[in-house]
Amino acid sequence: MRAHSSRADEIVRSIRDDMPQAVDTCIAAAGAEPDVGVQQALLRAASLGKSFLTAYNGDKLVDMCRSLRVVNSLASYAVGIPATLVQFHSLPFEEWVERLLHRNLHQLALRICAYMDAPADQVYVHWACAKIRASTIDDDALYRVLRERLDTLSRPIASYVDIAEVANACGFQRLAIRLLMHEPRAASQVPLLISMGQDDAAMDAAMRSGDADLVYFVIFHLFKALSLGDFFQTIARTPAAARLFEKYCTDMDAPVLEDYYFQDDAFAKSARLIVVENLHESDAVKLVANLKVALKMLHNDKASVLEAHAIDQQIKLLQVQQQFSRDISNEEESYIGLTLNETLARTLASGNYSRATKLRTDFKVPERRFYYIKVHALVGRRDWAELARLAHARKSPIGYRPFVDECVAALQYQEAAKYVPKCDVQDRAALFMRIGFYHEAAQAAVQARDVDTLRQVHAAATDPTLQHDIAQQIEQLTSR
């Protein structure tokens, strides 16, 4: 063809059926040929043969050209890395780039990476490290040099940790810190900052990451590296870290939390810690003593007035419970640890009504709550006389429905019937039906002019006479 021979077309036609195999053979031969001139001739022949084929995939030829160009560049006298195509493909591409970097051939490595569409991060990292090792200028000037080059990249490099480690090892600590500020992965950034003694920067980076485990990593490092007082002051500067430390100590029941609150003058938190630690304390004397310590701490915190009052009331209740417990012989019925409502209920259940009334007055228990507790206790004791006195002494602040409900729950229907007439008119019929008093239910329904309830009583009653009377009452009410 190149010689413009008249027989060229005849030769091509003679091998037309074997043209795909001929093209593949030329490509493979070019890959095995060390001489560049022969490679070029074989690749031209393959390209020519491909032009006579309509359904041939040319990617194989393109890939061979790219690979041979890189292999020839490596084998040039200026580089000195001779390799066959088989050897080139036997190693990862990054390995060949690394061999170039060991020779400080950064420009060639960049061109090859761009030619092969491969990431060039390792090239820029190695270049920056080499620049730092050979540098004689100060940190700021060296930082500007590095950033001028790295800022021109279309895509930022994946990690600055390796560059920062080299900078730190070479004595450029300020440079290392500034480079680490560009590191996108906090998990790689924080350990290096800690190894450089930059605890505050490490804490800031961990907090920005939002990774609680990373924050705990910094906290535990500080706990081991600093004295207890310095550690408390350090984490106090970062409120979020302080809260994580508190949570960890609370979950693990760590005694160091008490020292931390004391150091931080957190009186309310110290008092709360004492209360939590004594939740299951059964010794009343110890419990009262510890609560008095908590109360003393709360008096130092002006914002904890309500909490101080609550603990003061609890101490008074414990002292009352101690007295009540001494007055009984059965240890299983000890009052220690009961709530105020439970103490009232047990006192009433034991028949000490005057003592319960005094307890209610001393602790300013709301009247409605006291009535509910007392009604329940009196029904439980089956003290019907006292229950009647309570109902008739004055108008009940809770009404009389609770009297009926408690009696019904205790299956005392005769007693319940005594209080139904005191309930609201519209409720009496249903309450009488509930306890099986159908005559009274019918009377209450007539009094309330409630035809629907009368029909229900008529359906539930078994006395024919009562059913007849109810039917007449229904007829009278519906005819008006």
Side-chain angles (χ1 to χ4, degrees):
M1 283 282 187
R2 295 183 65 182
H4 302 288
S5 172
S6 59
R7 296 189 58 202
D9 183 66
E10 179 183 348
I11 295 172
V12 169
R13 289 179 180 278
S14 65
I15 61 171
R16 179 176 294 277
D17 294 338
D18 298 324
M19 186 63 73
Q21 182 179 357
V23 172
D24 290 341
T25 302
C26 289
I27 294 173
E33 176 59 48
D35 185 86
V36 177
V38 177
Q39 292 174 1
Q40 292 175 346
L42 290 169
L43 291 174
R44 288 194 194 99
S47 178
L48 176 64
K50 183 177 73 68
S51 64
F52 287 94
L53 300 174
T54 58
Y56 185 82
N57 187 356
D59 292 345
K60 187 184 298 186
L61 176 61
V62 174
D63 292 341
M64 180 60 71
C65 291
R66 295 178 65 185
S67 298
L68 285 177
R69 188 171 183 181
V70 174
V71 169
N72 293 335
S73 297
L74 295 174
S76 66
Y77 72 93
V79 179
I81 308 179
T84 64
L85 188 66
V86 175
Q87 290 173 327
F88 177 74
H89 287 305
S90 65
L91 292 177
F93 177 73
E94 293 77 10
E95 180 69 24
W96 296 103
V97 174
E98 187 175 348
R99 294 188 180 191
L100 291 174
L101 297 179
H102 287 325
R103 290 166 168 77
N104 285 329
L105 298 174
H106 301 102
Q107 190 65 36
L108 178 60
L110 284 175
R111 289 205 305 268
I112 290 178
C113 287
Y115 183 69
M116 297 295 287
D117 291 329
D121 286 15
Q122 69 179 119
V123 179
Y124 287 108
V125 170
H126 190 278
W127 168 81
C129 293
K131 195 75 173 177
I132 292 171
R133 291 189 183 99
S135 178
T136 57
I137 56 180
D138 61 16
D139 295 64
D140 295 334
L142 185 54
Y143 176 77
R144 286 194 297 271
V145 171
L146 296 178
R147 293 305 304 168
E148 284 175 2
R149 185 68 182 91
L150 298 177
D151 285 345
T152 61
L153 303 180
S154 59
R155 183 179 63 85
I157 62 174
S159 176
Y160 283 81
V161 172
D162 294 337
I163 305 175
E165 285 180 344
V166 172
N168 185 53
C170 294
F172 298 102
Q173 190 178 76
R174 285 192 297 114
L175 173 63
I177 295 172
R178 295 181 69 178
L179 289 173
L180 278 177
M181 294 302 103
H182 299 280
E183 172 58 41
R185 295 174 300 173
S188 301
Q189 182 184 26
V190 170
L192 183 55
L193 286 171
I194 289 177
S195 68
M196 294 165 56
Q198 301 298 314
D199 295 336
D200 291 339
M203 179 63 79
D204 292 340
M207 293 304 302
R208 286 196 304 271
S209 71
D211 187 345
D213 291 335
L214 203 56
V215 178
Y216 277 126
F217 175 76
V218 180
I219 291 174
F220 295 148
H221 160 72
L222 295 175
F223 186 79
K224 293 179 181 178
L226 303 176
S227 64
L228 204 56
D230 293 339
F231 169 73
F232 291 153
Q233 291 178 1
T234 300
I235 65 168
R237 292 196 294 266
T238 309
R243 288 193 293 271
L244 284 175
F245 174 70
E246 289 181 43
K247 182 180 183 303
Y248 174 81
C249 292
T250 302
D251 294 343
M252 303 302 294
D253 198 19
V256 72
L257 188 58
E258 184 177 349
D259 298 328
Y260 172 65
Y261 287 154
F262 180 79
Q263 174 89 7
D264 200 38
D265 291 336
F267 300 113
K269 292 181 178 180
S270 296
R272 182 183 63 189
L273 185 62
I274 293 174
V275 172
V276 171
E277 289 175 349
N278 287 272
L279 285 176
H280 303 290
E281 179 60 62
S282 57
D283 189 331
V285 177
K286 288 183 179 179
L287 184 56
V288 169
N290 291 334
L291 288 180
K292 285 182 177 179
V293 174
L295 180 60
K296 185 178 179 180
M297 290 181 177
L298 288 175
H299 284 156
N300 296 321
D301 189 350
K302 296 180 180 179
S304 302
V305 177
L306 293 177
E307 291 84 350
H309 176 72
I311 291 183
D312 183 52
Q313 292 294 100
Q314 183 63 28
I315 292 173
K316 291 179 181 178
L317 179 60
L318 283 169
Q319 292 170 339
V320 171
Q321 290 173 344
Q322 284 180 282
Q323 181 61 45
F324 288 179
S325 298
R326 284 193 290 266
D327 294 342
I328 61 175
S329 57
N330 189 356
E331 294 183 358
E332 293 182 358
E333 295 183 358
S334 173
Y335 287 81
I336 304 300
L338 298 180
T339 65
L340 177 58
N341 288 353
E342 290 170 342
T343 304
L344 279 170
R346 181 168 293 185
T347 305
L348 290 165
S350 64
N352 293 320
Y353 303 138
S354 59
R355 177 177 282 183
T357 302
K358 184 177 184 304
L359 188 64
R360 175 235 164 178
T361 304
D362 292 342
F363 287 90
K364 299 179 181 179
V365 178
E367 188 178 33
R368 288 174 55 84
R369 189 200 307 175
F370 182 70
Y371 257 73
Y372 276 114
I373 295 172
K374 191 169 184 178
V375 169
H376 179 77
L378 292 176
V379 173
R381 277 180 56 82
R382 303 298 192 266
D383 192 343
W384 308 121
E386 184 64 26
L387 183 64
R389 278 194 293 273
L390 180 66
H392 295 95
R394 50 173 294 191
K395 184 178 179 181
S396 171
I398 60 174
Y400 295 93
R401 179 69 177 265
F403 288 75
V404 178
D405 291 340
E406 290 292 343
C407 291
V408 171
L411 304 180
Q412 301 296 320
Y413 301 135
Q414 290 291 342
E415 292 298 328
K418 296 177 182 179
Y419 304 102
V420 174
K422 289 180 171 293
C423 296
D424 295 338
V425 175
Q426 63 270 21
D427 296 333
R428 292 173 191 172
L431 291 174
F432 275 125
M433 280 190 64
R434 183 179 173 191
I435 60 179
F437 283 49
Y438 297 117
H439 286 276
E440 291 79 358
Q443 293 172 3
V446 171
Q447 184 181 359
R449 306 183 66 82
D450 188 346
V451 177
D452 292 336
T453 303
L454 270 175
R455 290 193 177 101
Q456 293 176 10
V457 176
H458 182 273
T462 57
D463 185 356
T465 304
L466 177 60
Q467 289 179 328
H468 177 71
D469 293 342
I470 293 174
Q472 289 181 337
Q473 293 292 341
I474 293 173
E475 185 178 353
Q476 290 177 10
L477 291 174
T478 53
S479 63
R480 293 178 182 176

